[in-house]
Amino acid sequence: MPYNFIATARRVLDEEAQAVAALSARVDKDFENACERLLACTGRIIVTGMGKSGHIGTKLAATLASTGSPSFFVHPGEASHGDLGMITSEDVVLALSNSGETQEVLTIIPVIKRKGSGLISMTGRPESSLAQLSDVHLNVAVKEEACPHNLAPTSSTTAALAMGDALAIALLEARGFTPEDFALSHPGGSLGRRLLLKVDDVMHGEEQLPVVSADTPLSDALLEMTRKGLGMTTVVDDDGKLIGIFTDGDLRRTLEKGIDVRVAGIRDVMSPRPVTIQPGRLAAEALQLMETRKVNGLIICDDRQRPIGALNTQDLLRAGVM
């Protein structure tokens, strides 16, 4: 009979989910103490671990660094051969070891202590050497691994990963870390573009902005739309305030009504009360507004309701916001 891969996968997922759920009862004063020490750290959070714990530690250091807690990973083996020089008395070391007896980690503990660095450990054995030597210990013990032989690190690494995420997010919230702060650590990705770009960075302004007065003939307004190439034009009153918009869609509706574009005025066919947004707002907000109002273009107006720019979905697409 063929092997039941689905049954195995579901069993592994259930067992690892139970291991993570069991951690909640162990989030106590020790966890709070760990957070306070990490929050008060004036140096860097140095994460270390060997083998699979090291891989989890590498991810944890990256998560901490990207969420407002300066951090980097130091391999314990390399630390014994010079990399301990990276650690200072202002740093706090976060050591991961499921057994708490990993020799490479224990070897560097005396030096860490001598430097005066803080030491927080995350192990599956509170009675272990590493746990006992630490200033704060976080218990991430699991009942058993998801491996049928109870050997391959599976549930234990998942538990350590989850506890590390809990630490990182607790620190993030305590620091008042904002989405904009997060984006500053990710300026090259789509997330950074979505969070950092303002409508001012995307809009067509000044000479690129199509503008006609309310008394403009529709034929002239169409020429303005063609020149500026945005598929629309703003319509302003004598004071330069926005009173309407005329788009390619409005043109189709005008033709369907049988209106002669050669004699009609823009005031008679424009759409009043167009959707607008203020300068300085996020491009992501503009996208949400356009999706909510079901429009393809948006006018950026100053505090006197004068148009200073315009953008459309193509602009947001090119900017990587969509």
Side-chain angles (χ1 to χ4, degrees):
M1 293 180 63
Y3 184 75
N4 194 333
F5 295 105
I6 293 176
T8 297
R10 288 174 174 169
R11 176 186 60 77
V12 170
L13 292 173
D14 287 343
E15 290 184 9
E16 295 201 5
Q18 291 171 19
V20 171
L23 294 178
S24 182
R26 290 183 233 141
V27 177
D28 52 17
K29 192 67 178 177
D30 287 333
F31 182 88
E32 185 177 50
N33 193 5
C35 288
E36 289 174 349
R37 286 173 177 263
L38 293 173
L39 195 61
C41 176
T42 57
R44 298 288 189 270
I45 300 171
I46 312 300
V47 186
T48 190
M50 194 71 188
K52 303 300 185 296
S53 292
H55 294 310
I56 298 300
T58 300
K59 186 272 180 188
L60 175 53
T63 299
L64 287 166
S66 69
T67 53
S69 298
S71 177
F72 61 87
F73 179 81
V74 171
H75 190 284
E78 297 295 336
S80 294
H81 295 275
D83 283 1
L84 272 171
M86 298 179 179
I87 304 174
T88 72
S89 59
E90 287 76 32
D91 299 330
V92 174
V93 176
L94 178 57
L96 281 64
S97 169
N98 186 46
S99 68
E101 302 294 343
T102 304
Q103 193 58 47
E104 291 86 350
V105 175
L106 291 178
T107 297
I108 64 175
I109 297 303
V111 181
I112 291 171
K113 291 287 189 177
R114 192 155 56 243
K115 284 175 174 283
S117 309
L119 177 60
I120 299 171
S121 65
M122 195 183 297
T123 83
R125 296 178 61 235
E127 71 282 3
S128 65
S129 300
L130 179 58
Q132 295 300 311
L133 290 169
S134 301
D135 301 316
V136 184
H137 174 253
L138 299 178
N139 183 0
V140 290
V142 298
K143 185 177 180 181
E144 59 184 354
E145 300 288 4
C147 166
H149 309 299
N150 196 30
L151 294 174
T154 45
S155 297
S156 60
T157 49
T158 300
L161 180 65
M163 186 65 83
D165 286 343
L167 278 174
I169 301 306
L171 293 173
L172 176 153
E173 292 185 354
R175 294 183 192 280
F177 198 75
T178 66
E180 288 74 20
D181 293 327
F182 191 86
L184 290 173
S185 300
H186 303 75
S190 60
L191 178 63
R193 288 191 294 274
R194 183 161 53 86
L195 292 176
L196 290 177
L197 271 183
K198 303 285 196 303
V199 292
D200 313 56
D201 303 318
V202 182
M203 72 181 189
H204 300 266
E206 299 179 349
E207 297 300 320
Q208 296 179 317
L209 176 64
V211 182
V212 298
S213 68
D215 297 325
T216 301
L218 176 55
S219 56
D220 290 347
L222 293 176
L223 291 176
E224 174 72 353
M225 291 172 62
T226 301
R227 282 193 295 268
K228 302 302 172 62
L230 293 183
M232 51 80 71
T233 184
T234 60
V235 183
V236 299
D237 63 15
D238 293 339
D239 295 323
K241 293 183 179 180
L242 183 70
I243 61 172
I245 188 173
F246 188 79
T247 68
D248 288 338
D250 292 318
L251 176 59
R252 288 192 295 272
R253 286 184 286 273
T254 297
L255 294 174
E256 288 171 357
K257 292 177 182 178
I259 297 175
D260 190 341
V261 298
R262 293 170 298 181
V263 298
I266 191 67
R267 187 195 300 271
D268 302 320
V269 293
M270 70 179 187
S271 295
R273 299 180 297 279
V275 182
T276 66
I277 192 170
Q278 294 176 324
R281 303 297 290 272
L282 295 174
E285 293 181 86
L287 176 59
Q288 182 181 31
L289 181 60
M290 292 165 70
E291 290 176 340
T292 301
R293 298 293 295 273
K294 294 180 172 58
V295 296
N296 293 320
L298 202 58
I299 310 301
I300 296 86
C301 290
D302 62 17
D303 54 5
R304 296 176 61 184
Q305 202 56 21
R306 296 176 303 187
I308 60 173
L311 57 83
N312 56 31
T313 52
Q314 292 301 312
D315 298 318
L316 296 177
L317 183 63
R318 282 192 295 270
V321 180
M322 298 181 67

